[in-house]
Amino acid sequence: MQLFLIEAGNFKLDGGAMFGVVPKSLWSRTNPADTNNMIDIAARCLLIEQGNRLTLIDTGMGNKQSDKFFGYYYPWGEHNMDDSLKKHGFHRDDITDVFMTHLHFDHCGGSVQWNKDRTGYEPAFRNATFWSNENHWMWATQPNRREKASFLKENILPMEESGQLKFVTKPKTDFTEAKELDFGILFVDGHTEKQMIPHIEYKGKTIVFMADLLPTAGHLPVPFIMGYDTRPLLTLPEKEKFLKAAADNNYYLFLEHDAHNQIITVKHTEKGVRLDSCFTFDELFN
């Protein structure tokens, strides 16, 4: 097995929305905002090469939305999916599997693209199987009013229409070994229904792809929960339980949305689980 960091692009989100009820005077210490109250956000993906299989975890926003849409999110920097894959010697057509932690637009938008004449949509990874889970798929395709703006049908339905969509085995507990994908999955429901958090064993370390259970290192204090979470009172115990396990077992937390910290470890302190060390991907694995 070999892992590769894939940078799908950077953007910005409102700091207040990212930290919910936490005062700006607290969250701005770790995530400073610009004059529009926007903070830096990454769309950092992970590519797993194992045998003849290339599995990409999440795909960022993609580029098919309108200029008006992207104007809300202030894209910045030079990162993009194609250049990041090319850097490691890969092309979109090499990807055999795309695993989506959940179907919010900033995690799966890059899975679908315009077709050649821009009359409709098609999978952006034409040789890949797209993986979700049955509960979350139903949640996303029949969205509640709060999440409707995050579940965009043009990002989701073409995967099913292409015949390339599959579901991981329905979980019996909150953690399962995904036999279809050769890694473990933690299912959490606070942010959205059945978000999937991959646990990957690699070079003697457990790498956990954090998705929106822990968006940035600044979200480590348990009450620092995004305003986007649909069930924040469920996020609290899910996050607390996970962070205790992460500190106990020295997990390496791969941060999808932290534009300035790629991987962190955590430790127990008198104030709860807090940051231990920060690493770049290359420091750990290259």
Side-chain angles (χ1 to χ4, degrees), residues 91 96-97 115 131 136 145 149 151 169 176 182 191 202 210 213 215 248 262 266 275:
H91 184 273
T96 62
D97 299 87
N115 60 18
W131 295 93
H136 184 66
R145 287 188 177 185
F151 290 130
T169 302
T176 187
D182 298 319
H191 178 61
Y202 182 60
M210 292 310 304
L213 180 59
D248 289 342
Q262 295 180 355
V266 295
L275 181 66

Side-chain angles (χ1 to χ4, degrees), residues 33-243:
D34 64 17
T35 55
N36 292 317
N37 208 47
M38 309 293 278
I39 65 173
D40 291 347
I41 298 292
R44 183 174 297 118
C45 311
L46 187 62
L47 184 64
I48 306 170
E49 182 180 27
Q50 189 165 19
N52 294 324
R53 200 169 194 177
L54 273 176
T55 302
L56 179 64
I57 301 178
D58 280 354
T59 59
M61 284 191 190
N63 57 16
K64 66 181 174 297
Q65 304 297 335
S66 67
D67 290 342
K68 181 180 179 181
F69 176 90
F70 287 115
Y72 298 132
Y73 301 106
Y74 302 87
W76 59 276
E78 301 299 322
H79 293 313
N80 65 79
M81 176 66 70
D82 289 311
D83 286 348
S84 196
L85 287 171
K86 184 178 179 181
K87 175 183 175 182
H88 300 297
F90 300 115
H91 184 273
R92 288 173 180 267
D93 293 350
D94 299 324
I95 304 301
T96 62
D97 299 87
V98 174
F99 179 88
M100 294 163 292
T101 60
H102 60 298
L103 296 167
H104 287 165
F105 67 84
D106 56 320
H107 294 259
C108 77
S111 298
V112 174
Q113 63 188 9
W114 284 106
N115 60 18
K116 189 174 182 180
D117 56 8
R118 295 180 71 88
T119 58
Y121 302 103
E122 64 185 12
F125 302 89
R126 63 181 181 178
N127 297 317
T129 297
F130 294 89
W131 295 93
S132 183
N133 68 76
E134 187 175 0
N135 289 50
H136 184 66
W137 186 265
M138 290 181 63
W139 185 269
T141 54
Q142 303 171 37
N144 59 73
R145 287 188 177 185
R146 177 164 179 167
E147 284 183 282
K148 190 173 183 179
S150 293
F151 290 130
L152 306 180
K153 61 183 180 180
E154 62 268 28
N155 288 338
I156 300 172
L157 298 182
M159 289 184 277
E160 183 178 39
E161 293 164 355
S162 71
Q164 293 172 237
L165 176 70
K166 289 187 179 180
F167 296 142
V168 299
T169 302
K170 198 168 185 177
K172 295 181 179 179
T173 63
D174 64 355
F175 188 88
T176 187
E177 292 292 335
K179 296 180 181 179
E180 304 95 338
L181 292 153
D182 298 319
F183 53 74
I185 300 172
L186 174 67
F187 291 85
V188 288
D189 299 304
H191 178 61
T192 189
E193 175 76 9
K194 292 294 177 286
Q195 179 184 197
M196 299 189 287
I197 307 297
H199 288 52
I200 301 148
E201 300 300 324
Y202 182 60
K203 294 188 176 181
K205 298 177 174 65
T206 300
I207 314 301
V208 184
F209 189 94
M210 292 310 304
D212 281 339
L213 180 59
L214 187 75
T216 76
H219 288 84
L220 278 171
V222 172
F224 284 39
I225 293 172
M226 291 190 293
Y228 300 113
D229 283 22
T230 59
R231 306 181 183 109
L233 293 181
L234 185 53
T235 300
L236 278 168
E238 288 177 340
K239 184 177 171 184
E240 184 173 33
K241 180 180 179 180
F242 171 80
L243 288 175

Side-chain angles (χ1 to χ4, degrees), residues 24-36:
K24 183 177 181 179
S25 58
L26 296 179
W27 59 253
S28 61
R29 297 174 186 174
T30 55
N31 297 73
D34 64 17
T35 55
N36 292 317

